[in-house]
């Protein structure tokens, strides 16, 4: 049982199958362990998404927190980025968000943040929370349980989001909410913007009846692409299940790659913060790094994973950081990521450019690339060492897995944190070079 329970504690959050791996009893224990571990005293926010069991799990989390004497701010139904922001806005000791993000409806999970809006990952406290849960080892329950205060933060959140936009063109766009949590926020924001919106799947439904709420998978963007091309719209936006990621589709119905979105937002941010350092991760296109330099900024590279970008931003005083999977981080949002703010800033950047989104994408997309590929291997590090030897004539670094650079192409191979899998990202000047590089890598991996 302990092995099964330990497995729900992932590198960046907690996720498991409801009823089998993640139960109210487990959430109560997580709440107790989180309350005990948090370095700062003070209240803890608890939010939840629209999944059928999220309310029950949130109640259990609140029970565990209050049992240990923690006061709780019950946020109710919110997007994940609202729960992160609440920690900074209301100076809380932390937050627990009940969500499995884009995972199927049979899954659920918990995203934890501590004070100063710092994500709690396996190497920064989640391991200690896990160990306490596995050992059933908590401080004695408080003589006086903590209190619970319900707090509706929607108006404050909407006001905050709107500070990221100014004068916008009267765009005609489509938004695919995927039945996720952003559907609770959009009706409060859209009437305040000079745009016409084709609304798609705005109803909150944690069973995701229309398609998986993961815009990183292109098959989930098909309905949005069709809506854009059939109605001759300016572009489209898709949100993931818990609303902390947004993806773009251009006026030609083409999904915009994460690196190209980082480029679009980076140009806007560098006009606002000239000469700034822009954070990106190891999978980011070489074109994005080149463009940041051309626009007078300094690209700063870090490990992939949403828990790595915000600390790097704080370290080098960066106003913006982007991850290719769609997580975009803003200093003016307490360094946290937000799908809604990404959508608004991207909209503002497109508006200010005076050009079509497709024109920006065509200009910024300088290299050929392939979708991230996964290889099942038993010896992840051994396979990476084989690649290191096979490509020893390239410039190599080990910031996150193995990255090998050549003048005309590069690749990064990273081991998965949770599976016997290594993940390949690759880019080249031409399609022929790209295909050749992929084939060479496949020969080594076997």
């Amino acid at each position: 049982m302990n092995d099964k329970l330990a497995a729900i504690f992932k590198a960046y959050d907690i996720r498991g199958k409801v009823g089998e791996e993640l139960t109210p009893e487990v959430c109560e224990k997580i709440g107790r362990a989180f309350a005990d571990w948090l370095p700062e005293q003070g209240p803890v926010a608890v939010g939840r998404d629209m999944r059928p069991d999220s309310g029950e799990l949130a109640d259990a989390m609140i029970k565990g927190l209050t049992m240990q004497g923690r006061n709780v701010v019950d946020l109710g139904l919110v997007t994940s980025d609202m729960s992160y922001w609440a920690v900074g806005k209301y100076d809380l000791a932390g937050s627990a968000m009940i969500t499995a993000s884009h995972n199927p409806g049979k899954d659920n999970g918990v995203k934890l943040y501590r004070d100063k809006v710092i994500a709690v990952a396996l190497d920064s406290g989640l391991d200690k929370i896990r160990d306490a849960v596995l050992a059933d080892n908590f401080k004695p329950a408080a003589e006086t349980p903590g209190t619970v205060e319900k707090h509706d933060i929607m108006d404050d959140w909407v006001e905050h989001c709107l500070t990221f936009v100014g004068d916008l063109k009267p765009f005609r766009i489509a938004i695919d909410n995927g039945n996720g949590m952003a559907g609770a926020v959009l009706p409060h924001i859209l009437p305040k913007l000079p745009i016409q919106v084709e609304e798609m799947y705005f109803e909150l439904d944690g069973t995701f009846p229309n398609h998986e709420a993961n815009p990183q998978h292109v098959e989930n963007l098909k309905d949005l692409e069709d809506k854009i091309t059939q109605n001759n719209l300016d572009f489209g936006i898709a949100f993931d299940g818990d609303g902390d990621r947004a993806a773009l589709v251009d006026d030609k119905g083409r999904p915009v790659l994460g690196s190209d979105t980082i480029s679009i937002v980076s140009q806007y941010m560098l006009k606002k913060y000239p000469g700034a350092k822009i954070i990106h991760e190891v999978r980011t296109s070489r074109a994005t790094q080149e463009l940041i330099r051309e626009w007078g900024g300094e690209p700063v590279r870090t490990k992939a994973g949403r828990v790595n970008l915000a600390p790097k931003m704080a370290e080098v005083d960066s106003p913006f950081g982007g991850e290719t999977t769609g997580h975009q981080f803003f200093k003016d949002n307490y360094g946290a990521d937000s799908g809604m703010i990404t959508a608004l800033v991207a909209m503002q950047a497109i508006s200010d450019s005076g050009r079509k989104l497709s024109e920006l994408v065509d200009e910024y997309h300088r290299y050929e690339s392939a979708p991230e590929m996964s290889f099942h291997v038993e010896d992840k590090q051994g396979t990476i060492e084989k690649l290191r030897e096979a490509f020893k004539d390239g410039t190599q670094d080990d910031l996150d897995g193995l990255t090998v650079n050549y003048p005309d192409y590069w690749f990064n191979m990273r081991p998965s944190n949770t599976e016997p899998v290594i993940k390949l990202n690759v880019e080249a000047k031409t399609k022929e070079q790209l295909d050749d590089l992929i084939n060479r890598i496949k020969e080594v991996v076997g």
Side-chain angles (χ1 to χ4, degrees):
M1 176 60 189
N2 265 13
D3 287 346
K4 194 172 184 180
L5 183 55
I8 71 173
F9 291 84
K10 310 298 184 182
Y12 309 133
D13 55 23
I14 300 163
R15 295 192 197 184
K17 288 184 170 43
V18 175
E20 299 176 31
E21 301 166 333
L22 193 63
T23 64
E25 293 73 22
V26 170
C27 264
E28 181 181 316
K29 291 181 179 183
I30 293 169
R32 295 190 71 183
F34 187 40
D36 291 347
W37 173 82
L38 276 171
E40 292 295 322
Q41 295 303 310
V44 177
V46 176
R48 60 183 175 88
D49 71 10
M50 68 289 136
R51 292 166 190 265
D53 46 274
S54 289
E56 184 181 21
L57 296 180
D59 288 344
M61 178 69 64
I62 290 171
K63 182 180 178 182
L65 288 161
T66 56
M67 190 183 300
Q68 301 306 101
R70 288 278 179 173
N71 294 336
V72 169
V73 179
D74 183 359
L75 303 178
L77 280 166
V78 291
T79 56
S80 285
D81 48 7
M82 291 171 71
S83 74
Y84 314 154
W85 170 80
V87 176
K89 172 67 176 178
Y90 307 111
D91 195 23
L92 304 177
S95 70
M97 177 70 189
I98 307 298
T99 183
S101 185
H102 58 271
N103 278 28
K106 64 182 182 295
D107 293 347
N108 216 322
V110 189
K111 292 182 176 181
L112 299 176
Y113 273 68
R114 56 169 288 182
D115 61 306
K116 312 301 182 189
V117 200
I118 298 171
V120 182
L122 204 59
D123 60 358
S124 59
L126 191 56
D127 55 341
K128 294 179 174 59
I129 294 167
R130 175 201 62 198
D131 293 346
V133 170
L134 293 177
D136 231 358
N137 182 24
F138 315 108
K139 295 177 182 177
E143 291 185 11
T144 304
T147 61
V148 181
E149 174 193 358
K150 292 186 182 295
H151 191 178
D152 184 350
I153 65 172
M154 185 63 73
D155 289 346
D156 287 351
W157 172 245
V158 169
E159 182 181 349
H160 170 64
C161 289
L162 290 173
T163 63
F164 287 83
V165 291
D167 293 329
L168 283 175
K169 288 187 174 180
F171 290 121
R172 295 175 58 246
I173 70 172
I175 297 179
D176 184 343
N177 179 60
N179 298 110
M181 269 313 303
V185 184
L186 289 163
H188 297 272
I189 285 186
L190 294 180
K192 301 178 186 297
L193 301 174
I195 60 177
Q196 296 179 44
V197 178
E198 294 280 345
E199 299 181 0
M200 302 174 63
Y201 315 135
F202 272 36
E203 305 80 17
L204 303 186
D205 189 338
T207 67
F208 306 110
N210 294 290
H211 60 71
E212 183 185 46
N214 184 2
Q216 193 180 4
H217 293 167
V218 294
E219 61 269 22
N220 298 321
L221 299 174
K222 184 66 169 61
D223 292 351
L224 182 58
E225 294 166 8
D226 291 344
K227 181 74 75 171
I228 292 166
T229 54
Q230 290 169 9
N231 294 279
N232 195 28
L233 302 178
D234 293 309
F235 55 89
I237 300 169
F239 290 94
D240 73 342
D242 64 334
D244 63 0
R245 287 188 298 153
L248 301 174
V249 175
D250 72 15
D251 47 288
K252 295 182 178 179
R254 302 177 303 182
V256 178
L257 296 181
S259 282
D260 293 330
T261 301
I262 295 170
S263 298
I264 290 165
V265 175
S266 292
Q267 185 181 38
Y268 173 80
M269 297 303 290
L270 285 167
K271 288 178 180 176
K272 189 175 180 182
Y273 300 97
K277 294 176 179 176
I278 303 295
I279 309 304
H280 68 96
E281 39 97 349
V282 294
R283 297 169 293 187
T284 309
S285 171
R286 186 178 284 180
T288 298
Q289 301 168 58
E290 293 171 354
L291 288 163
I292 290 169
R293 292 189 185 95
E294 289 169 19
W295 294 328
E298 179 184 342
V300 177
R301 189 163 161 267
T302 190
K303 291 182 178 181
R306 65 179 181 83
V307 301
N308 296 312
L309 275 82
K312 194 67 178 180
M313 284 171 61
E315 178 188 330
V316 303
D317 192 27
S318 166
F320 170 68
E323 189 182 24
T324 57
T325 55
H327 292 282
Q328 314 289 343
F329 301 76
F330 301 87
K331 179 181 179 180
D332 294 336
N333 186 47
Y334 300 102
D337 53 325
S338 168
M340 193 61 65
I341 292 172
T342 297
L344 291 169
V345 171
M347 205 180 301
Q348 187 70 61
I350 298 164
S351 179
D352 290 354
S353 75
R355 301 166 68 190
K356 294 180 178 181
L357 177 54
S358 60
E359 293 172 343
L360 296 178
V361 170
D362 288 342
E363 178 184 339
Y364 298 165
H365 194 72
R366 298 176 174 180
Y367 299 95
E368 296 291 334
S369 62
E372 184 173 76
M373 287 175 270
S374 294
F375 299 89
H376 288 265
V377 297
E378 291 305 318
D379 184 1
K380 291 183 283 189
Q381 194 54 46
T383 303
I384 287 175
E385 292 306 318
K386 285 165 61 179
L387 286 166
R388 188 191 307 279
E389 176 62 23
F391 293 91
K392 61 185 178 183
D393 58 333
T395 303
Q396 302 184 356
D397 74 68
D398 303 301
L399 174 64
D400 191 356
L402 173 68
T403 301
V404 183
N405 273 286
Y406 293 89
D408 291 346
Y409 49 86
W410 65 272
F411 73 87
N412 170 267
M413 186 72 87
R414 298 164 47 248
S416 167
N417 290 302
T418 56
E419 303 173 284
V421 165
I422 53 176
K423 298 183 177 183
L424 173 67
N425 285 269
V426 59
E427 192 174 59
K429 275 191 175 180
T430 67
K431 183 69 165 57
E432 292 74 20
Q433 289 174 323
L434 181 73
D435 292 342
D436 178 64
L437 180 57
I438 292 171
N439 288 333
R440 288 170 61 197
I441 291 168
K442 285 181 176 179
E443 287 178 7
V444 176
V445 173

